[in-house]
Amino acid sequence: MSDYHGLIAPPAYSCDMVEVLRACRLQRWIFDHVPADQAVFAPWKTVSTSSPILDVSEADHAGSTNLHSNHRRKWRRLEEAHGQIQVDLDVQDPALLATCIEWKSEQYRRTGNVDLFSRPWTRALADIISTYHEPHFAGMLSVLRVDGRPIAVHFGMRSLKFWHYWFPAYDPEFQRFSPGILLLLKMIKDAPALGIEAIDFGKGENHYKLRLFNRRVPLLEGCVTINHPLWMVTQTQTKLKQLAKNSPASDYIIPPMRRLMQWARFR
């Protein structure tokens, strides 16, 4: 569920990660969202990746002119076809959060991915986060309505200056209008008025992320193990994953592999 993980410690903190694992009674810990500046994980790295971020102070340059003009047309067509559009960026509404989760679960199933919200603890976590509204941490529920009807919702989190883009969802009936992107573009435009300096999209190569980001946070993927054979197994798994990703048949190989890995994580 987390788009960053690692040690919560002062920046200069150092330790032996093998001893940490032993103290936690673990044989290995697979990581794929560790900030690269956590140097204690560097010896265990197998792949360098990154998380795309949009610095909203330069949001005028985010995305192509074609992207923005295309979605302005979609906004007008949506309004002409269905009525007045209203956007609220910070709503406290448990029923709307339930709608967001329901739509997201349907999207996971429709696209053949594991439904993250099929486990009670994940839904409980979202409910808890939604109740926090402190200056340095808050759940953020945003909605785009047309004629009073919600058609796109996003649930995420914010710190004092960062907005973490987490669970976007939309009503499939309105898919041709790209309501999720319409809401995201409105979030980007109005973020500075909320004191937000950057929107963090989280790791991933989704099309919209690649069209909008303007900087990246370096991340590490790898595995800490307490014995060499386990490390070799993990290295082999990583290499197979990279081969599959670079294969011409990746569209057929990656989805079932991703479903298997996600299923294993939730066992």
Side-chain angles (χ1 to χ4, degrees):
M1 291 283 284
S2 62
D3 284 334
Y4 291 101
H5 55 233
L7 292 175
I8 300 175
Y13 182 77
S14 181
C15 64
D16 182 338
M17 286 307 303
V18 172
E19 292 306 313
V20 171
L21 252 65
R22 288 196 173 111
C24 295
R25 300 179 183 177
L26 296 174
Q27 292 192 11
R28 66 175 177 172
W29 185 60
I30 300 171
F31 57 89
D32 57 11
H33 287 74
V34 169
D37 58 7
Q38 295 211 358
V40 292
F41 292 97
W44 306 96
K45 178 195 77 172
T46 54
V47 180
S48 294
T49 59
S50 63
S51 180
I53 285 181
L54 172 62
D55 184 336
V56 296
S57 66
E58 310 212 1
D60 289 343
H61 308 291
S64 65
T65 302
N66 182 58
L67 170 72
H68 289 278
S69 61
N70 181 42
H71 284 83
R72 280 195 295 269
R73 286 194 297 271
K74 289 186 177 183
W75 184 285
R76 289 195 300 269
R77 289 171 185 168
L78 174 61
E79 208 159 33
E80 290 166 359
H82 296 280
Q84 185 178 7
I85 298 173
Q86 178 190 5
V87 175
D88 293 309
L89 296 184
D90 190 6
V91 182
Q92 298 179 41
D93 184 343
L96 189 61
L97 177 60
T99 297
C100 178
I101 291 173
E102 179 185 345
W103 285 347
K104 198 66 184 177
S105 292
E106 289 174 356
Q107 179 189 341
Y108 286 136
R109 294 191 294 268
R110 188 170 64 248
T111 56
N113 288 298
V114 172
D115 178 7
L116 293 180
F117 292 105
S118 64
R119 297 289 186 264
W121 71 265
T122 57
R123 172 59 194 271
L125 177 63
D127 288 338
I128 291 168
I129 289 173
S130 71
T131 66
Y132 279 85
H133 291 89
E134 303 299 327
H136 289 81
F137 180 77
M140 289 282 285
L141 184 63
S142 307
V143 58
L144 184 147
R145 295 184 176 94
V146 61
D147 196 25
R149 175 182 174 181
I151 66 169
V153 188
H154 169 261
F155 178 63
M157 301 174 286
R158 67 164 293 175
S159 61
L160 188 63
K161 297 180 179 180
F162 272 71
W163 198 347
H164 196 81
Y165 195 73
W166 208 13
F167 293 111
Y170 63 89
D171 186 338
E173 181 182 334
F174 293 84
Q175 182 175 4
R176 67 190 181 96
F177 297 105
S178 304
I181 300 298
L182 294 181
L183 176 58
L184 173 57
L185 292 176
K186 184 65 172 172
M187 290 166 60
I188 291 169
K189 181 180 178 181
D190 293 352
L194 299 173
I196 300 293
E197 295 182 355
I199 296 176
D200 190 331
F201 292 123
K203 194 183 80 167
E205 300 300 303
N206 307 67
H207 189 53
Y208 70 87
K209 297 180 183 182
L210 298 181
R211 297 181 75 181
L212 291 169
F213 86 100
N214 51 25
R215 64 185 178 92
R216 290 180 179 270
V217 174
L219 301 175
L220 303 177
E221 292 186 22
C223 178
V224 183
T225 66
I226 64 172
N227 63 63
H228 189 68
L230 270 177
W231 186 81
M232 291 296 293
V233 168
T234 306
Q235 287 286 87
T236 301
Q237 290 173 338
T238 301
K239 289 176 182 178
L240 288 173
K241 181 181 173 182
Q242 291 300 112
L243 284 172
K245 185 182 287 188
N246 297 328
S247 167
S250 61
D251 289 345
Y252 302 98
I253 298 172
I254 295 296
M257 180 182 291
R258 185 184 295 121
R259 287 195 295 271
L260 179 61
M261 292 176 67
Q262 289 177 338
W263 176 84
R265 286 178 181 176
F266 276 78
R267 299 305 293 169

